[in-house]
Amino acid sequence: MKGAWNTAAVRTSDVFELLRDGRPRTRAQLADLSGLARSTIASRIDTLMRLGLVAPYGGGVSTGGRPPSLLALNPMAWVVAGVDIGASHATAALSDLSGTILVERRADLDVALGPDHVLGWVEHVVADLLADQRREVRELAAIGMGLPGPVEHSSGRAINPPIMPGWDGYDVPGHVQRAFDVPVLVDNDVNIMALGEQHAHLPDVDDLVFIKVSTGIGAGLISGGQLQRGAQGTAGDLGHVAVARAADVLCRCGNQGCLEAVAAGSAVARALREAGVEAAGSADVVTLVRSGDPRAVQAVRQAGRDIGEVLATLVNMINPSAIVIGGSLADAGESLLAGIREVVYQRSLPLATQHLAVTTSRAGERAGVIGAAALAIGHVLSPEHIDRAGERLAAAGA
């Protein structure tokens, strides 16, 4: 960052970025890192301290005279809410600005009951979480939400969601903002799971693919450190990519040959029932695998091979350094991973797989709510948001 600066053009967010990693620094260190005059640093730090985003941290080491004061990000300046809405359950949490979960609630909740019912629960539980932490509504900076269907991220509206009657085109942010006048960021469930896994366990990984294998199959793609949504927000819809074994199998989307039709948890369960094994869904498949049922083990491994067929192409195209498998069928563990690895390492280019890790999610069922909070934090700590907050502060003091 050090170099020639136009002092007048230096934004508050430029200085904040030097402290966002959480490491405490003195004003002198900040001036040295940036090449800015200490008076410029002092002015921007004053704004950040008035916003509450930066606070004194312990004491610096003296080289003679009074020890210099250290400054650091204040993660408790504001809080954000993260909400993960699933097909039959929901989780909500309150987080500080570092992503540390402060309090969490989980409930059985049928998304098919519609947006009024589900978002009513969201409003109630967020208010309850704030009260639990003795936080006022004005201390809530943003809300991040994940929905189990396609989402137009720019508007926060679900688009033709197959399992969400009444949600198509519904103004989710507008509804929630009736209760909380804060930014409401909405994305699909697998995208927020990718963010959650990265935030909690892979913070140094900039190229990551998160695969959710449940009733359907989808991917959250992080490339160059940024979530990739595509032009209409449908990037990562791997479940409807054609695979050889599904050539004659009809998918719920109306096409034949989709990966989801043979490798999703519901498809594996159906195949086992056809073979005379009782399995209603993913949970039963996982139970059978863990009990050592050979037909279930083989069925899950084959599902892994099918998924690997699609992932091999993806690996060659975007070259991730990590593939993380989540969702209900991921609990089958090595049986699923073995099939995926078998095909990915066989069909992808050697250079692309040289350092590739294929693992199950460490965040597990909490990936979604952690990622929803991370989505909100990313907005709150964005340069645009911080600079607007600084401008409002200056205007109020004028």
Side-chain angles (χ1 to χ4, degrees):
M1 189 171 183
K2 189 171 182 177
W5 284 80
N6 176 355
T7 300
V10 176
R11 302 174 301 174
T12 301
S13 60
D14 293 326
V15 176
F16 177 74
E17 285 299 312
L18 297 172
L19 292 165
R20 189 170 173 178
D21 62 5
R23 291 179 56 190
R25 293 183 172 91
T26 65
R27 288 175 174 81
Q29 288 171 330
L30 292 171
D32 185 59
L33 279 169
S34 63
L36 292 169
R38 293 194 184 190
S39 59
T40 303
I41 290 290
S43 171
R44 304 306 184 269
I45 288 294
D46 177 65
T47 298
L48 290 168
M49 292 183 75
R50 289 170 64 198
L51 288 171
L53 285 170
V54 169
Y57 180 94
V61 177
S62 174
T63 56
R66 188 176 65 181
S69 59
L70 288 167
L71 301 164
L73 167 68
N74 175 20
M76 295 300 288
W78 302 322
V79 292
V80 301
V83 183
D84 177 23
I85 305 294
S88 59
H89 70 276
T91 307
L94 214 59
S95 160
D96 68 15
L97 296 182
S98 71
T100 299
I101 299 297
L102 304 173
V103 61
E104 189 173 341
R105 297 279 191 277
R106 183 180 173 89
D108 293 329
L109 188 66
D110 187 354
V111 74
L113 291 173
D116 282 334
H117 180 84
V118 173
L119 297 179
W121 177 85
V122 171
E123 293 169 1
H124 173 79
V125 76
V126 170
D128 184 53
L129 294 173
L130 287 168
D132 181 278
Q133 294 296 297
R134 298 181 180 178
R135 290 281 194 156
E136 296 181 21
V137 172
R138 62 181 177 81
E139 296 178 89
L140 179 68
I143 298 172
M145 293 182 62
L147 297 177
V151 172
E152 184 182 63
H153 178 67
S154 60
S155 68
R157 298 171 188 259
I159 305 298
N160 296 320
I163 62 169
M164 301 170 63
W167 289 82
D168 185 29
Y170 191 82
D171 185 6
V172 174
H175 184 123
V176 177
Q177 284 168 337
R178 293 180 216 162
F180 302 101
D181 186 19
V182 298
V184 177
L185 298 307
V186 186
D187 214 325
N188 70 58
D189 54 354
V190 71
N191 278 350
I192 65 168
M193 291 171 82
L195 288 175
E197 190 72 27
Q198 182 193 44
H199 181 87
H201 299 290
L202 299 168
D204 298 322
V205 175
D206 287 335
D207 298 279
L208 162 73
V209 175
F210 188 100
I211 308 295
K212 181 183 179 184
V213 189
S214 294
T215 305
I217 298 175
L221 311 175
I222 295 175
S223 182
Q226 299 296 315
L227 189 62
Q228 304 299 317
R229 297 183 176 92
Q232 303 299 325
T234 65
D237 196 356
L238 299 187
H240 301 289
V241 174
V243 293
R245 193 169 72 91
D248 299 321
V249 181
L250 182 66
C251 178
R252 64 188 171 105
C253 73
N255 287 327
Q256 288 183 309
C258 295
L259 172 65
E260 185 176 294
V262 292
S266 54
V268 176
R270 184 181 64 247
L272 287 173
R273 290 195 301 273
E274 291 172 354
V277 181
E278 282 298 317
S282 297
D284 290 339
V285 173
V286 170
T287 299
L288 287 165
V289 169
R290 289 178 172 175
S291 68
D293 185 289
R295 290 172 292 184
V297 170
Q298 181 54 43
V300 168
R301 182 153 186 164
Q302 181 56 53
R305 294 188 187 103
D306 297 327
I307 295 168
E309 183 180 333
V310 174
L311 289 183
T313 300
L314 188 65
V315 167
N316 285 336
M317 289 185 67
I318 68 172
N319 188 206
S321 53
I323 294 175
V324 180
I325 311 299
S328 56
L329 201 60
D331 290 336
E334 287 301 320
S335 295
L336 184 65
L337 287 181
I340 294 172
R341 289 170 177 154
E342 176 186 333
V343 178
V344 167
Y345 289 120
Q346 178 185 15
R347 298 193 181 181
S348 299
L349 294 171
L351 184 59
T353 58
Q354 185 176 6
H355 301 293
L356 176 65
V358 182
T359 64
T360 52
S361 170
R362 291 166 61 191
E365 65 179 14
R366 299 184 73 234
V369 73
I370 294 170
L375 181 67
I377 292 168
H379 176 81
V380 170
L381 299 186
S382 68
E384 296 79 12
H385 189 270
I386 288 175
D387 290 331
R388 282 197 300 270
E391 290 164 5
R392 287 194 298 270
L393 188 65

